[in-house]
Each structure stands twice: as structure tokens, then as C-alpha cells.
Amino acid sequence: MEKIRYFDHAATTSTKEEVLKEMIPYFTLNYGNASSIYSIGRKSKKAVEDSRDKIAKAINADSKEIYFTACGSESDNLAIKGVAYANKERGNHIITTKIEHPAVLNTCKKLETQGFIVTYLNVNEDGLISLKELEEAITDKTILISIMFANNEIGTIQPIKEIGEIAKTHKIYFHTDAVQAIGNIRIDVKELNIDLLSMSAHKFYGPKGMGALYVKTGIKFEKIQDGGHQERNKRAGTENVAGIVGIGKAIELAYENFDEYNEKLTELRDYYISQVEEKIPYIKINGHRQKRLPGNANISFKFIEGEGLLLNLDMKGICASSGSACTSGSLDPSHVLLAIGLPHEIAHGSLRITFGDDNTKEDVDFLVNTLVEVVERLRNMSPLYEDFIKNR
Ligand code: PLP
């Protein structure tokens, strides 16, 4: 069995030992319900509030502006539906982009069946929205702009501060899905004029099944799940105390060596891209070259299928992705790659590599050498490549 080399940190990360260590007592010794008044309940409540403080501190928010959820998808649902339902008297128009994660896109699609009107902004070939098009899309019925901080497939980072300013000027709420950005980009919700922000612990070495939503004080939003009064009546369900402790510890650790970690990812990413450019012909780098997540490299290898590439890499112990984790499994090309204008056949040959703390330069060398061999082998089996070479 080959050693596993994991290059899919945008899909998920391992839970750090230190995180797990802090979580375990809340499963075993201190399992009290955070709403109970006896000692182990009060201890749980304290752990929940400590974690809320840590998350608030990381994004320069107030603790009472943080709500715990079960994942990034739930945070997106709560933000978008919560604002839409609570503000429907003011208007029924929402603006988002064509490259959002399905957690946002499908939430918006659902709202369209309930009388809301959604504008899906185009992006350019780098995956950036146009601020001018955003302003032009605003109507007197617009209540919410939901634009992701950084794209999960191509890594492009949107002009969040400028979007926030536009939203503020027009008195429209601004939600950003920051699931891929937390831990990789420093975020100050006040400076960036962000009203609502989604995050998910398993993208920054925390546990799966744990998310959080920041909602600025004064924003009108409704709960979307009926039940008890937890999370100040906005998110019913007995608190997942261990998970909450985990997300708090994970964000604290992420900020402890933030710069060092992200410099390392940037170096690995740039080294990988330069090596591929040097050693493999007929490729295309997707996403913005500078405004991109430190650990993301998305490259299309012309004349081959991403799935074939993934299977061959897997045989060498390499874990990577041909699209977003949620859409691979379907044979349709990624909606993000199509939105940046890639033809179907080029979108199909794309490989997303996302680096993390367990990767080394030697891992990148192994990855590139494997790619050189596999890409050549797959191209030699491709009739399209044969035609291309003949007609060159
Ligand atoms: N938003 C983005 C940008 C993502 O990349 C993901 C997961 O890949 C999600 C939302 C959903 O997060 P979760 O898996 O925690 O539901």
C-alpha cells in the first residue's frame, strides 16, 4: 500500500489532536445538557460560551453575534432563508453569484419557489464578480446580497470589502459564505461590512458536523427550525457541546500560527503550479493568479478526463479532487468551471489540489512526477490528443 498523500484539504481536514483532546471530556465526564442548572450542565454552558468568545474574537465580532449550527450548509440556509423570511415585507429580491456552493445555490433555488426573485451574477474568466454588475442588479426590492468569500473549487477571493460597502450604501444585508476562507484569510467583519458570515469547523482542523453563523446585532433574521429556545431562540436543538468546544479550539489554533501556516501553503501552491507549468504541456491554471486562497491550485489538463486522472492518482496513494467534494460523483462538469468560461471538455480535465499542514515539498515532487507520468499515459490513449498532435 502506497503512503497516503492528502491534497484535498478544501473537501475536509483531519481533526487536530489538541482539538480532539479538548472535546473528549464533553462526551464522557462532562456530558451535561448546557441548559441544565446542575454543575455539569453549568460547565457545559461555560464551555459553549468560551467557544463563542473564541469565534467572535477571531473575526472581530461580539460573542452574542455568534450562533452555533451543525455545518456550513446549515449556516448558509439559516442566513439566507432567515433573512429572506424575516424581511419579506421589505422586498423579495436576493443577489448571489453563479459560482456559489450548492448550500447557497440550492437555498436560493428553494426561495425562488416561494416567491423570491434571485439574480445570479456572472463571473469573469478568473472567477471574479463585477462590482458594476452588482450595483446594476440592485432594485428597491433587494434585501440580501450573498457572495462567497473565496471559491471552493478555483480559490478566487472576491472583493469582499467593496461588496460590503455597496450593500451598506444601499441598506441591503450582506452575507458571505466564508467556509473556505476561515483559517486562510484574516477576516474582520466590521472592517469588511459583513452582516452575516458562515463557517464550518471541518475545513480548519475541527470536527465535522459543526458550523457557526455570525449575524451582526440588529439584523432581522428568523429561525428556520422549530423547537426549543437554544441559541437565543434562533437555532433549536440541544447544544453539541463537544463539537462546540472543538470549533472553538480549532479556530484558536488556526490563529496561533496563522501567518506561518498560510505562508507554507502559498509556497507549496506556487511551487506546485510552477513545476506543472514547467513539466506538463497543454494545461490551464484556473482562478485568479494572485487573488486566490493560499492552498488552492486548480489546473485543467487538456485532452484527459479528471475522473481517470483521480483514479490513477489514487492508485499512487494521492487524494485530490476533480471538482467540489459535493459535486464530484456526478458526471456533469463543475458549474464553477463552466461559469468561468471553460469549454466542457477542458472543464472535465480539471484537478483541484488543496494543500494543508501535513504536506511537504517532497509530497509535491511526488505529486508532480506522478502527474507527468499519468497525464502522458492518459493522453496517449486519447483520440482527441492523437488528432491534435497530427494536425499541429
Ligand atoms: N460552502 C462552501 C464554500 C464549501 O466549500 C462547503 C463545503 O465544501 C460548504 C459551504 C458546506 O459546508 P459543510 O460541509 O460544513 O456543510
Side-chain angles (χ1 to χ4, degrees), residues 29-95:
L29 298 172
N30 211 103
Y31 50 82
N33 187 316
S35 304
S36 304
I37 58 161
Y38 39 75
S39 65
I40 58 167
R42 289 198 310 273
K43 274 192 196 155
S44 291
K45 172 92 180 139
K46 163 114 182 36
V48 167
E49 296 316 317
D50 285 350
S51 173
R52 208 186 300 281
D53 292 346
K54 288 176 187 170
I55 291 172
K57 185 172 165 224
I59 59 171
N60 192 25
D62 203 273
S63 297
K64 64 179 184 309
E65 297 174 317
I66 306 297
Y67 299 85
F68 290 117
T69 66
C71 54
S73 301
E74 190 193 333
S75 297
D76 286 339
N77 271 264
L78 181 56
I80 299 170
K81 289 178 184 157
V83 164
Y85 298 153
N87 295 276
K88 59 179 185 291
E89 308 307 325
R90 259 180 62 201
N92 65 345
H93 181 226
I94 295 167
I95 302 174

Side-chain angles (χ1 to χ4, degrees), residues 127-269:
L128 285 172
I129 64 142
S130 146
L131 293 170
K132 187 166 165 281
E133 274 174 34
L134 169 62
E135 285 227 73
E136 284 167 1
I138 294 172
T139 71
D140 57 355
K141 296 268 180 275
T142 311
I143 48 172
L144 177 68
I145 295 172
S146 177
I147 294 182
M148 69 198 323
F149 209 113
N151 186 266
N152 46 304
E153 294 190 41
I154 56 172
T156 299
I157 300 167
Q158 298 297 337
I160 294 298
K161 189 167 188 322
E162 291 80 354
I163 298 170
E165 270 159 18
I166 292 172
K168 194 173 168 192
T169 309
H170 292 269
K171 299 192 169 50
I172 298 166
Y173 294 152
F174 173 36
H175 164 247
T176 187
D177 174 342
V179 166
Q180 293 290 339
I182 293 286
N184 295 115
I185 305 167
R186 284 190 190 276
I187 299 178
D188 178 329
V189 288
K190 293 199 175 73
E191 194 193 315
L192 298 175
N193 293 308
I194 296 168
D195 296 314
L196 302 102
L197 176 145
S198 307
M199 67 174 80
S200 178
H202 74 102
K203 308 290 184 179
F204 50 93
Y205 307 96
K208 291 173 188 56
M210 194 59 229
L213 176 67
Y214 152 76
V215 185
K216 188 173 154 186
T217 305
I219 302 291
K220 254 180 90 183
F221 86 110
E222 257 177 35
K223 63 184 175 190
I224 56 169
Q225 175 167 301
D226 294 309
H229 298 295
Q230 291 90 353
E231 295 301 284
R232 297 179 307 292
N233 212 16
K234 292 296 193 213
R235 200 276 184 171
T238 299
E239 295 85 348
N240 169 9
V241 181
I244 291 172
V245 168
I247 193 174
K249 184 67 184 174
I251 208 160
E252 187 178 61
L253 290 175
Y255 277 77
E256 259 171 29
N257 69 347
F258 202 99
D259 295 335
E260 199 188 315
Y261 172 67
N262 286 296
E263 273 159 28
K264 172 189 158 162
L265 297 197
T266 307
E267 262 171 42
L268 290 176
R269 177 200 72 192

Side-chain angles (χ1 to χ4, degrees), residues 110-121:
K110 172 58 76 61
L111 288 174
E112 282 180 303
T113 68
Q114 299 170 356
F116 290 90
I117 294 165
V118 183
T119 300
Y120 299 89
L121 295 175

Side-chain angles (χ1 to χ4, degrees), residues 306-359:
E307 298 304 309
L309 195 52
L310 282 189
L311 289 175
N312 278 275
L313 293 179
D314 181 39
M315 286 192 257
K316 294 278 187 180
I318 294 171
C319 309
S321 165
S322 61
S324 114
C326 317
T327 50
S328 54
S330 120
L331 287 176
D332 293 336
S334 133
H335 68 288
V336 176
L337 298 177
L338 295 182
I340 62 170
L342 290 194
H344 279 231
E345 66 281 9
I346 295 183
H348 268 306
S350 303
L351 182 73
R352 180 187 72 176
I353 294 291
T354 44
F355 297 101
D357 65 355
D358 48 323
N359 298 138

